[in-house]
């Protein structure tokens, strides 16, 4: 058992995984290309407008010599119907130093315009063909390079003009337009090619601000997590002991301060090295991909539950004693190496307290913030642990005012134990809804949370005692406030048994229709009377009738002549629940969903097996994809038709199954009810045409 938990150092406490939907990242989703033609007589300009997703960038067409990366390609396929004039023009690139590659990079962000001039050589209209390619990157990683063909319609010019164009010397035309090539750096050309100027500069500045803000958020989240670990019973008592050891062992005060700073720096270094291990091994990507997997959700539930029981005092989880003993032997050698191993001993010996908090931080940041954020986060976590050792070495008199390590440390540990047990059930709920066991439906889940947080409130008020607790003679102000807030949260959960939406925590709960009584006990919840359910319908989110079979939904849409609202979703998809609870039920949205469209919810993680006659292997791009379950069928439909596998993903279709040309909706861009309503209404308006 000890060996098992030692391996869990990099896997522990993955509660934030439920926030991340397993999805395929496609490069074509990160930069949308549209093409048009501006033409006057025989002179035409083929224009590519590229809208790059915020937070991402693509390389410039012309890269600095010797730099790494795939240049953006914009090429026209040669034809006798036209000839090229000059080279591709692009806006002025952003040149900055990239720490990962150790060199300057030349990139584009936001919206850009690429242009290629041509001379038309024919009097007949024709289709011009070309190809484009790019590699999108963000601050943490790059996707694979993407290439695609494109075509545009070009008008022919008069026979006389075409004849003149045929005899025009290409080299002279190139010379005449040389000032428009990217290498020229012509400011006028830049303005023409990229009509964004100040707006574009603001967009770039905004992106930098967002990046800085995100890293600062990661820093403070990690620092707070380190502070929580610091005040755990395994760490807090070590502060005065360690500082006193250095000050007494050192010949001078300066040497004592130096050793304490080396000790603190070693703690920081150890945690940064742990981040490097996660990055090098690619562990975070693996965990992200497995976040909705049945067995891993069951594994995370068991792991968190066990850690929670450990925090409550049922038993102690420790790393193998051999690890600690070997590090302790090295620490006895003294010097810088000895101090480093003293820090390692602290990290290993305190694992039973810091492991769950550290594991949560590792997985959360690595699965959502990228490598730089992970390094920043682990640095901040180590800094929070190291600061007290360094500050008390500088100001040893502060040790006298430091609170003694008593029962309050155990209270912190027990509080976190209850939280871990509560969040463990989220993973069990994901497994339950994915497999449709109906063992942990909404009422049962809410009841468990009421019991857990109610018990925690009683504990904080001193009405319950657990192992290692000291008698509670009186409550401190802080403990009383936390107990009161916990009790208030418990009372907030109670109406959820009768159908209240519980918007503060709905992302953690099973969907409202995954319940013994979808409207709550007594049928008092919901957002209105349920309409008549046709064959194949069920009562979906917000009590709105919905299909789960596309063909049946399409047939019904044709029958009632309403657009089809295709909802690619998942039983274990947290963001889907957020959209259903916080967007679908809002005024202005729910009326359209209930009255104006036919909803079909296609669960990509539905485990029901397809009939044997429908089970087969198909090609999705260059990959073989097995159709075994109903979820496989809907996954293949989403990837095959829309080249994405992220959920939620919404599409509007006409009653005959054709996409209404208003694009798709998703959690990232449409989680604001007003934005989602506008998208719906735009689609409904287009469907009438």
């Amino acid at each position: 058992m000890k060996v098992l938990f030692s391996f869990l150092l990099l896997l522990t406490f993955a509660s934030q995984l439920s926030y991340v939907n397993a999805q395929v990242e496609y490069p074509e989703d990160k930069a949308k290309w549209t093409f048009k033609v501006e033409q006057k007589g025989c002179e035409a300009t083929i224009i590519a407008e590229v809208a790059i997703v915020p937070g991402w960038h693509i390389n410039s067409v012309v890269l600095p010599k010797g730099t790494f990366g795939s240049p953006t390609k914009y090429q026209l396929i040669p034809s006798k119907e036209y000839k090229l004039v000059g080279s591709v023009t692009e806006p002025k690139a952003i040149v900055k130093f990239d720490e990962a590659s150790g060199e300057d990079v030349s990139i584009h962000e936001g919206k850009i315009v690429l242009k290629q001039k041509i001379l038309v050589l024919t009097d007949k209209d024709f289709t011009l063909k070309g190809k484009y390619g790019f590699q999108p990157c963000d601050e943490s990683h790059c996707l694979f390079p993407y290439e695609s063909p494109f075509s545009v319609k070009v008008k022919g010019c008069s026979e006389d003009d075409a004849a003149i164009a045929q005899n025009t010397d290409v080299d002279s035309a190139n010379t005449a337009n040389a000032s428009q090539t990217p290498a020229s750096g012509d400011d006028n050309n830049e303005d023409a090619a990229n009509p964004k100027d100040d707006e574009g500069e603001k967009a770039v500045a905004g992106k930098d601000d967002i990046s800085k803000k995100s890293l600062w958020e990661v820093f403070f989240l990690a620092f707070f997590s380190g502070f929580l670990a610091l005040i755990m019973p395994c760490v807090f008592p070590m502060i005065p002991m360690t500082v006193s050891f250095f000050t007494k062992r050192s010949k001078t005060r300066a040497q004592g301060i130096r050793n304490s700073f080396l000790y603190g720096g070693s703690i920081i270094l150890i945690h940064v090295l742990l981040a490097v291990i996660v990055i090098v091994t690619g562990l975070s990507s693996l965990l992200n991909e497995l976040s909705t997997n049945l067995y891993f959700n069951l594994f995370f539930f068991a792991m968190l539950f066990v850690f929670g029981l450990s925090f409550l005092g049922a038993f102690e989880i420790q790393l193998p004693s051999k690890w600690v003993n070997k590090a302790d032997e090295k620490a006895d050698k003294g010097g810088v190496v000895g101090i480093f191993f003293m820090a390692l001993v602290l990290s290993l010996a305190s694992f039973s307290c810091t492991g769950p908090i550290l594991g949560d931080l590792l997985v959360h940041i690595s699965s959502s913030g990228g490598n730089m954020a992970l390094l920043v986060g682990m640095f901040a976590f180590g800094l929070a642990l190291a600061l007290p050792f360094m500050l008390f070495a500088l100001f040893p008199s502060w040790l006298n005012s430091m609170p003694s390590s008593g029962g309050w440390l155990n209270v912190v540990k027990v509080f976190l134990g209850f939280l871990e047990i509560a969040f463990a059930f989220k993973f069990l709920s994901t497994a339950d809804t994915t497999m449709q066991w109906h063992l942990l439906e909404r009422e049962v889940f809410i009841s468990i949370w009421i019991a857990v947080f109610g018990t925690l409130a009683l504990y904080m008020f001193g009405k319950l005692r657990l192992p290692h607790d000291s008698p509670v003679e009186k409550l401190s102000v802080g403990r009383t406030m936390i107990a009161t807030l916990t009790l208030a949260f418990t009372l907030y959960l109670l109406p959820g048994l009768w159908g209240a939406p519980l918007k503060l925590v709905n992302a953690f709960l099973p969907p409202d229709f995954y319940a013994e009584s979808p409207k709550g006990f007594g049928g008092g919840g919901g957002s209105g009377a349920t309409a008549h359910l046709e064959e194949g319908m069920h009562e979906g989110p917000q009590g709105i009738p919905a299909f789960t079979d596309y063909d049946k939904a399409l047939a019904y849409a044709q029958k009632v002549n309403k657009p089809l609202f295709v909802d690619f979703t998942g039983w274990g998809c947290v963001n889907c629940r957020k959209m259903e609870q916080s967007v679908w039920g809002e005024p202005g949205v729910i009326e359209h969903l209930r009255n104006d469209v036919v909803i079909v919810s296609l669960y990509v993680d539905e485990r029901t097996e397809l009939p044997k006659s429908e089970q087969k292997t198909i090609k999705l791009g260059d990959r073989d994809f097995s159709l075994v379950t109903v979820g496989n069928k809907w996954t293949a439909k989403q990837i095959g038709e829309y080249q994405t596998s992220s959920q939620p993903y919404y599409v509007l279709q006409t009653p005959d199954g054709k996409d209404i040309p208003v694009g798709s909706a998703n959690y990232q861009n449409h989680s604001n009810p007003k934005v989602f309503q506008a998208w719906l209404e735009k689609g409904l308006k287009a469907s009438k045409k």
Side-chain angles (χ1 to χ4, degrees):
M1 180 63 71
K2 289 184 177 180
V3 174
L4 171 63
F5 282 111
S6 67
F7 173 72
L8 297 182
L9 179 60
L10 299 180
L11 293 176
T12 57
F13 200 55
S15 63
Q16 296 298 331
L17 281 174
S18 58
Y19 288 97
V20 185
N21 292 311
Q23 64 180 44
V24 179
E25 283 190 305
Y26 289 93
E28 58 267 40
D29 293 336
K30 306 306 180 185
K32 298 294 184 182
W33 290 62
T34 55
F35 303 89
K36 64 181 182 180
V37 180
E38 290 182 355
Q39 186 170 359
K40 185 177 181 181
C42 292
E43 294 183 355
T45 302
I46 314 302
I47 299 174
E49 296 179 344
V50 188
I52 305 166
V53 171
W56 291 78
H57 63 261
I58 63 175
N59 291 324
S60 59
V61 175
V62 178
L63 292 177
K65 289 185 178 180
T67 57
F68 177 80
S70 300
T72 295
K73 298 177 182 178
Y74 178 43
Q75 301 171 345
L76 307 186
I77 297 175
S79 169
K80 62 181 180 180
E81 294 156 325
Y82 69 90
K83 57 185 175 184
L84 299 178
V85 177
S87 305
V88 175
T89 64
E90 63 177 330
K92 187 176 181 180
I94 301 169
V95 179
K96 61 182 180 181
F97 182 76
D98 179 63
E99 294 184 359
S101 61
E103 62 185 10
D104 288 335
V105 293
S106 178
I107 61 173
H108 293 302
E109 298 173 329
K111 294 182 178 180
I112 64 169
V113 176
L114 306 178
K115 296 183 178 182
Q116 173 65 67
K117 286 193 173 184
I118 63 170
L119 279 176
V120 179
L121 307 178
T122 178
D123 59 345
K124 296 180 180 179
D125 297 350
F126 64 95
T127 299
L128 180 149
K129 296 182 179 180
K131 59 182 179 180
Y132 67 95
F134 63 96
Q135 182 177 26
C137 302
D138 65 6
E139 290 194 16
S140 63
H141 67 299
C142 292
L143 304 182
F144 52 86
Y146 175 80
E147 281 195 9
S148 177
F150 73 92
S151 62
V152 291
K153 297 289 186 180
V154 180
K155 294 181 179 180
C157 54
S158 67
E159 290 185 8
D160 292 339
D161 290 339
I164 295 173
Q166 286 277 10
N167 296 321
T168 300
D169 182 69
V170 177
D171 292 334
S172 64
N174 289 346
T175 303
N177 292 278
S179 62
Q180 298 175 5
T181 62
S184 69
D186 188 292
D187 291 335
N188 294 329
N189 175 59
E190 178 193 335
D191 294 339
N194 187 18
K196 62 180 184 176
D197 292 342
D198 295 339
E199 182 180 344
E201 291 175 6
K202 290 177 182 177
V204 174
K207 191 262 182 188
D208 289 340
D209 290 343
I210 292 172
S211 299
K212 292 176 183 176
K213 180 182 178 182
S214 299
L215 288 178
W216 277 114
E217 287 176 350
V218 167
F219 180 88
F220 286 116
L221 170 65
F223 191 85
F224 177 73
S225 301
F227 177 76
L228 280 180
L230 179 67
I231 58 176
M232 297 295 280
C234 307
V235 182
F236 190 81
M238 297 291 290
I239 298 173
M241 294 171 53
T242 305
V243 174
S244 298
F245 172 79
F246 281 126
T247 53
K248 291 178 180 178
R249 182 181 180 182
S250 305
K251 297 179 180 179
T252 63
R253 182 171 181 269
Q255 188 179 11
I257 293 173
R258 168 185 167 275
N259 290 340
S260 294
F261 270 70
L262 284 173
Y263 183 75
S266 298
I267 293 175
I268 297 172
L269 178 61
I270 288 168
H271 289 87
V272 171
L273 289 175
L274 185 56
V276 172
I277 292 173
V278 173
I279 293 170
V280 171
T281 59
L283 181 62
S284 60
S285 299
L286 174 64
L287 292 176
N288 187 13
E289 293 172 6
L290 294 172
S291 61
T292 57
N293 180 275
L294 166 68
Y295 300 106
F296 271 76
N297 274 284
L298 292 175
F299 170 73
F300 289 139
F301 162 73
M303 184 177 62
L304 288 181
F305 196 82
V306 168
F307 269 118
L309 292 178
S310 173
F311 272 17
L312 295 184
F315 45 79
E316 288 290 334
I317 299 174
Q318 296 179 346
L319 291 174
S321 57
K322 290 182 179 179
W323 292 21
V324 182
N325 292 337
K326 287 184 178 179
D328 202 20
E329 291 174 6
K330 298 285 186 180
D332 291 336
K333 293 184 177 180
V336 174
V337 174
I339 292 173
F340 174 83
F341 277 97
M342 283 185 65
L344 184 59
V345 169
L346 172 72
S347 301
L348 295 175
S350 61
F351 172 73
S352 61
C353 291
T354 61
I357 301 173
L358 179 59
D360 176 49
L361 181 71
L362 266 172
V363 177
H364 170 52
I365 296 177
S366 63
S367 61
S368 60
N371 293 342
M372 181 56 68
L374 182 59
L375 290 171
V376 170
M378 295 307 293
F379 171 83
F381 185 91
L383 180 64
L385 284 178
L387 265 181
F389 297 96
M390 295 186 287
L391 289 176
F392 283 119
L394 283 174
F395 308 101
S397 60
W398 288 4
L399 285 172
N400 298 326
S401 59
M402 182 177 173
S404 58
S405 53
W408 68 274
L409 288 175
N410 193 64
V411 172
V412 172
K413 189 176 180 180
V414 169
F415 185 87
L416 292 177
F418 274 107
L419 290 183
E420 287 197 34
I421 290 174
F423 285 109
F425 281 95
K426 169 57 194 168
F427 292 96
L428 184 60
S429 171
T430 299
D432 180 67
T433 52
T434 299
M435 297 303 295
Q436 293 289 284
W437 291 330
H438 289 273
L439 299 175
L440 198 61
E441 294 178 319
R442 190 177 179 91
E443 299 94 338
V444 178
F445 189 99
I446 293 174
S447 298
I448 291 173
W449 267 32
I450 290 172
V452 171
F453 286 102
T455 305
L456 176 57
L458 291 175
Y459 174 81
M460 296 303 293
F461 277 119
K463 301 301 182 183
L464 291 176
R465 285 179 59 188
L466 294 173
H468 312 302
D469 277 340
S470 304
V472 180
E473 297 179 359
K474 58 181 180 180
L475 298 178
S476 65
V477 174
R479 181 166 177 170
T480 302
M481 292 301 297
I482 294 174
T484 303
L485 289 174
T486 306
L487 178 60
F489 179 71
T490 306
L491 296 176
Y492 169 78
L493 293 174
L494 283 171
L497 297 174
W498 285 269
L502 304 181
K503 291 185 178 181
L504 288 179
V505 292
N506 59 48
F508 295 97
L509 307 178
D512 55 2
F513 56 87
Y514 190 77
E516 294 178 12
S517 175
K519 293 186 179 181
F521 294 148
S527 52
T530 302
H532 171 68
L533 297 179
E534 296 285 334
E535 182 182 355
M537 277 185 175
H538 74 288
E539 190 170 308
Q542 302 294 337
I544 304 171
F547 288 89
T548 55
D549 184 275
Y550 178 81
D551 294 330
K552 291 180 179 179
L554 187 62
Y556 183 71
Q558 293 171 351
K559 175 183 175 181
V560 297
N561 193 31
K562 290 182 179 180
L564 190 63
F565 178 88
V566 184
D567 165 28
F568 290 99
T569 183
W571 293 111
C573 170
V574 172
N575 287 340
C576 302
R577 303 293 86 78
K578 288 181 179 179
M579 289 290 291
E580 293 161 2
Q581 296 293 336
S582 304
V583 177
W584 285 32
E586 292 301 301
V589 174
I590 192 170
E591 293 83 1
H592 289 309
L593 294 178
R594 182 181 288 123
N595 304 320
D596 301 330
V597 299
V598 175
I599 297 177
V600 56
S601 296
L602 306 179
Y603 289 88
V604 299
D605 52 3
E606 174 62 55
R607 299 304 178 101
T608 303
E609 283 199 6
L610 291 167
K612 294 295 183 181
S613 59
E614 296 183 27
Q615 295 183 16
K616 55 186 177 181
T617 299
I618 63 173
K619 277 282 186 181
L620 281 181
D622 58 350
R623 307 174 189 174
D624 291 331
F625 189 87
S626 298
L627 297 182
V628 178
T629 66
V630 173
N632 295 152
K633 179 180 178 179
W634 305 138
T635 299
K637 180 178 179 64
Q638 185 183 2
I639 295 177
E641 296 182 14
Y642 302 105
Q643 291 75 53
T644 181
S645 62
S646 64
Q647 294 83 41
Y649 188 83
Y650 307 114
V651 179
L652 287 171
Q653 294 183 344
T654 60
D656 58 354
K658 295 179 180 179
D659 288 350
I660 298 173
V662 291
S664 61
N666 53 46
Y667 176 76
Q668 285 76 14
N669 301 318
H670 299 81
S671 56
N672 182 304
K674 295 297 182 184
V675 176
F676 190 80
Q677 179 184 347
W679 173 78
L680 264 178
E681 292 175 347
K682 183 179 179 182
L684 292 172
K685 184 178 179 180
S687 70
K688 294 178 181 178
K689 296 180 180 180

